């Protein structure tokens, strides 16, 4: 349940963006939602069932039975109601949900009026040709420099004050680390322990410090690769030059497909950009320089 909730929260903004497009293109957006927000057997069965419902109407325009669907019908409950966008598709096709006079307490989807010519055929065509779209993470690119006011600051004595609970928590953490260190553990066990700490983070903010002290900052997925950071830096340079990215106190990163979460760059990371020669001018492009602001 917790994992389901987290997926819904992360996908909520994306789903909201699709819903905003409904006013512009109701049919196309609804079909896109069906293919994007559903998957597996539910998607396959849902698209097939919706297509069959509409095709039966166009193939038998004079038969009333194809224009009525009981909401409590097992197939409708199993294949359409749980399908995100399924009921909305029926409504766009022309169906209306009303009480069923012939059955106490039940409801039906009914095609009360004949839609404009070609409308139902277009609904099926758009539904079957729609594809899944994937959201793209906004890098939220920022170019930062340390302001004079931020170079020195004072903190109150309360900053260094530690509560009894914090001391107890730190003692427990150290005791747990000591206990794990006394147990002979395989590499898989160590990686699993590291993964437990990292798995709650889905995004990371990477800052690249340039030789002139300017920082280039971007937001990445925890499942992006080190290669994507190199590409991000390359596209921000004024000219193409060889460079390396070096974590403080560690060797330079290898430009490969290592995940950022496995490269210890989650939830944040600072990298120093190193070049073979000391540049005389800023390495960033004019577009990036225009984004420059104080930290």
């Amino acid at each position: 349940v917790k994992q389901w909730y987290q997926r819904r929260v992360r996908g909520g903004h994306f789903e909201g963006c699709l819903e905003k497009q409904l006013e512009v293109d109701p049919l196309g957006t609804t079909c896109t939602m069906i293919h994007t927000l559903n998957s597996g057997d539910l998607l396959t069965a849902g698209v097939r069932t919706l297509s069959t419902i509409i095709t039966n109407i166009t193939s038998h325009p004079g038969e009333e039975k194809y224009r009525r669907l009981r909401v409590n019908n097992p197939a409708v409950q199993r294949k359409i109601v749980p399908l995100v966008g399924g009921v909305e598709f029926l409504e766009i096709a022309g169906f209306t949900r009303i009480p069923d006079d012939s059955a106490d307490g039940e409801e039906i989807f009914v095609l009360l009026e004949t839609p404009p010519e070609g409308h139902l055929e277009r609904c099926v065509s758009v539904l079957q040709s729609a594809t899944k779209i994937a959201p793209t993470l906004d890098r939220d690119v920022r170019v930062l420099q340390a302001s004079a006011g931020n170079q020195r600051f004072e903190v109150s004595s309360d900053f260094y004050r530690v509560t009894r609970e914090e001391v107890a928590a730190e003692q427990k953490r150290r005791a747990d680390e000591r206990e794990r260190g006394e147990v002979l553990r395989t590499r898989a066990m160590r990686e699993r322990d590291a993964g437990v700490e990292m798995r709650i983070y889905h995004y990371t903010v990477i800052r690249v410090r340039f030789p002139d002290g300017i920082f280039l900052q971007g937001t990445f997925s925890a499942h992006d690769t080190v290669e994507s950071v190199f590409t991000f830096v390359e596209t921000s340079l004024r000219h193409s030059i060889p460079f390396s990215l070096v974590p403080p106190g560690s060797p330079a990163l290898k430009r490969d497909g290592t995940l950022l979460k496995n490269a210890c760059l989650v939830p944040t990371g600072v990298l120093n950009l190193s070049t073979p020669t000391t540049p005389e001018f800023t390495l960033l492009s004019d577009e990036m320089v225009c984004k420059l602001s104080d930290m």
Side-chain angles (χ1 to χ4, degrees):
V1 174
K2 181 178 180 181
Q3 292 177 345
W4 174 87
Y5 174 77
Q6 291 173 337
R7 289 196 299 269
R8 295 293 295 178
V9 169
R10 295 201 299 276
H13 176 69
F14 180 48
E15 188 172 341
C17 291
L18 286 174
E19 290 175 350
K20 289 181 180 180
Q21 295 297 315
L22 285 173
E23 297 180 3
V24 180
D25 181 13
L27 176 59
T29 303
T30 297
C31 293
T32 298
M33 290 176 67
I34 290 174
H35 283 268
T36 302
L37 303 178
N38 302 282
S39 61
D41 294 340
L42 176 61
L43 173 61
T44 302
V47 171
R48 183 171 59 245
T49 302
L50 291 171
S51 299
T52 300
I53 290 171
I54 304 303
T55 302
N56 283 339
I57 297 174
T58 57
S59 300
H60 309 87
E63 297 194 30
E64 188 69 20
K65 67 178 182 178
Y66 293 118
R67 302 166 69 98
R68 297 167 58 91
L69 297 169
R70 288 190 302 109
V71 175
N72 289 337
N73 182 293
V76 172
Q77 287 295 317
R78 189 173 64 254
K79 301 177 182 179
I80 297 179
V81 173
L83 187 76
V84 179
V87 173
E88 289 80 2
F89 176 83
L90 288 177
E91 294 173 347
I92 292 173
F95 281 87
T96 303
R97 184 169 179 167
I98 62 174
D100 186 2
D101 295 335
S102 62
D104 186 28
E106 290 196 12
E107 292 181 313
I108 58 172
F109 292 111
V110 59
L111 197 65
L112 295 173
E113 300 180 359
T114 301
E117 183 177 354
H119 174 68
L120 295 179
E121 290 83 354
R122 181 170 178 270
C123 287
V124 175
S125 176
V126 174
L127 175 64
Q128 295 182 344
S129 62
T131 57
K132 176 180 180 179
I133 62 174
T136 301
L137 178 64
D138 182 6
R139 284 277 181 256
D140 189 24
V141 180
R142 300 186 184 186
V143 182
L144 306 168
Q145 64 179 357
S147 64
N150 288 337
Q151 292 180 1
R152 179 177 178 82
F153 60 92
E154 300 291 338
V155 296
S156 67
S157 58
D158 290 340
F159 179 82
Y160 302 98
R161 189 169 298 158
V162 182
T163 66
R164 179 180 301 177
E165 291 75 14
E166 290 172 331
V167 172
E170 178 63 17
Q171 289 177 334
K172 183 178 185 305
R173 184 188 67 80
R174 294 187 180 187
D176 291 342
E177 285 187 357
R178 185 166 56 253
E179 182 179 346
R180 285 197 298 267
E182 294 173 353
V183 178
L184 183 61
R185 297 184 301 152
T186 64
R187 178 180 178 182
M189 294 171 64
R190 294 194 300 270
E191 291 178 347
R192 184 182 66 245
D193 289 343
V196 169
E197 298 177 359
M198 290 292 103
R199 66 186 179 188
I200 62 173
Y201 299 109
H202 305 290
Y203 306 103
T204 180
V205 175
I206 302 295
R207 282 184 176 178
V208 179
R209 181 190 290 112
F210 279 67
D212 55 4
I214 292 178
F215 287 87
L216 175 66
Q217 176 177 298
T219 302
F220 295 80
S221 165
H223 291 86
D224 280 337
T225 63
V226 172
E227 167 66 29
S228 67
V229 178
F230 274 86
T231 302
F232 169 64
V233 174
E234 275 184 341
T235 57
S236 303
L237 297 178
R238 184 180 301 272
H239 304 293
S240 178
I241 58 170
F243 66 89
S244 57
L245 297 177
V246 186
S250 301
L253 294 177
K254 293 183 179 180
R255 186 168 185 170
D256 57 19
T258 301
L259 300 183
L260 296 181
K261 68 175 186 176
N262 295 335
C264 298
L265 293 174
V266 174
T268 60
V270 176
L271 302 171
N272 295 310
L273 185 141
S274 176
T275 57
T277 59
T278 302
E280 298 181 5
F281 305 98
T282 181
L283 299 175
L284 290 169
S285 66
D286 291 340
E287 179 185 0
M288 291 294 108
V289 172
C290 289
K291 297 178 181 288
L292 186 62
S293 63
D294 291 338
M295 288 184 181

